[in-house]
Amino acid sequence: MTIPPAVATARALVADLVSRGVRDAVLAPGSRSAPLAYALAEAADAGHLTLHVRIDERDAGFLALGLSKGAEGAPVAVVTTSGTAVANLHPAVLEAHHAGLPLVLLTADRPHELRGTGASQTTDQVGIFGSAVRHAVDVPAPAAPATDDDAATALRDLRSVVGRAVAAALGFRSGHPGPVHLNLAFRDPLAPSAPLPGLPARGAEEGYPKPDPPLVVPAVHQHFGSPALPGDPERTVVVAGDDAGPEARQLAEAQGWPLFAEPSSGATGGPNAIAGYRMLLGSDELADGVEHVVVLGRPTLSRPVQRLLGRPSVAVTVVAPGAGPWPDAARNAAVVLPGLAPVWFEPAERRTTPFLERWQAAGASAALVLDEVTCDDAVLGGPTALSVARAVARVLGPADLLVVGSSNPVRDLELVLGLDGPGPAVLANRGLAGIDGTVSTAVGVALSAARRGLRTRALLGDLTFLHDVGGLLRGPDEPAVDLEIVVVNDDGGSIFATLEHGALAATGDAASATFERVFGTPHGANLAQLCAGYGVDHQLVKDVPTLRHALQAPSHGVQVIEVRVPRADRLAETRALADRIRTSLG
């Protein structure tokens, strides 16, 4: 049987991806991408990879992103047909670009003779993702080889293209992983003329191409060996932004420095972590004492932290490995380091200083206030968003992963995480900090994390949930997923109330009406009916103890737990909490 060139090429490409460590692929259906669909289904049936099919390309992209997050940065392939399908990947591509996640984008395209002719579903896909991808190749449509030598050459060339793409996605040479784009032109016929013989099962020695991967030398991580720093080392704090990693906490404890750790930093907890730090920075006495900040990861949550980093009197050292841009939104970095030498983590025993003790005492005072305003007695009249975040953090433990949405949920979690022990590991889409695709991301994380024996929950706002409610859609033949999604429903965008827009809205009825329409955006959506339409369990809980009980109970499949909270007083509550914390300092 003669196999069409498009089908043969797709089979070889998928085999090569598998040989280079791709274990998950997400497919959105389409005609031009049919050769890849057949190849992926064939490989999945033989156990070489897990195939996930989604009808919406945006959801497919974010599902792939979540799969990579849950598998701690493994490469994940995502496949679309041509036309607008490719453009729908762009939000996930941007998030993967800024978050450094290795997605392999395989977009089908028309051959060159059909481009620019008005052919259906044909647009200029070459370079469509611009600088958001680490590597991009427009792969021409394969032709039937005239000789065996031609076939061998074509296969060698294809493997070279795939090898370079995967190496770039993983950041082997740059230390800067991220998405890559292979735009794959295919000519008809796009399907085999008859069923192809099945592939050998995973582990078989013969029959499935297993090319030797190219020798790629990983990036050499340089280390800054001198402990000399700008500013006063005794008045240094560590800021751990998104994906900072555990070394941020280790550094703070080794040097005796206060630690300001965002929930998704991977560095939360420990004796040097300061509760309520963003509100404590409103105290001039505390903030003025800071002379030097060491930044790891990407801090994006807190305006008080950004103001601290932008102070002319504060020296900033940024630790930024790899070839990507370093985080310095305040444009105030004095030193940028590619890494930290072991000397920074000595002595191993816990150090303390009067400066650290002042911050620890302030953090303890803030923790008491946060406990008072979120304990069960304080919310007898009904839950608040902050008390919901605490309930979730309290119930979940080291065997859990928590995916948290942008906007208020991640900021609420920042205040309460650690009040009741170490809590779960937290993942968030903080590359661009958008609300796009968060349900699909959580599903992807849950699918990957389950293989490591971890259970996944998500904490989302109502607008974040509604923005990606299509992520609940999963066909009956798709891999099962266990995921609990807690939706804090305040019927709109309450984060804007905590910004300058909320203050302006308080100046009069007209300003309030404008705010409500263009920022508050009330929707009145019935989440229970939406979930029913997707065949997903829904539970409305009305108090914090019931929420804790729901999270502690065994569950299977996808379940949405809705908690309704008020939105009208969000600005006043935020200001009152900040004042109460500052007053507690004495």
Side-chain angles (χ1 to χ4, degrees), residues 105-133:
L105 315 169
L106 307 174
T107 62
D109 201 352
R110 264 51 177 181
H112 70 272
E113 63 269 18
L114 290 180
R115 298 180 188 179
T117 66
S120 178
Q121 289 189 316
T122 304
T123 189
D124 185 2
Q125 298 174 192
V126 179
I128 191 171
F129 301 119
S131 60
V133 290

Side-chain angles (χ1 to χ4, degrees), residues 299-311:
T300 58
L301 281 187
S302 169
R303 289 189 176 187
V305 167
Q306 290 301 325
R307 285 195 290 268
L308 174 69
L309 296 176
R311 284 190 173 198

Side-chain angles (χ1 to χ4, degrees), residues 223-233 235-241 244 247-248 251 257 290-299 308-311 313-321 326-341 344:
H223 294 288
F224 184 73
S226 170
L229 294 170
D232 184 352
R235 294 180 176 272
T236 294
V237 300
V238 175
V239 169
E247 73 172 7
L251 173 67
W257 294 335
V290 178
E291 294 190 9
H292 177 229
V293 181
V294 179
V295 177
L296 296 93
R298 293 184 65 253
L308 174 69
L309 296 176
R311 284 190 173 198
S313 61
V314 174
V316 177
T317 296
V318 175
V319 182
W326 59 82
D328 182 26
R331 288 89 63 205
N332 193 39
V335 178
V336 179
L337 306 178
L340 298 175
W344 283 62

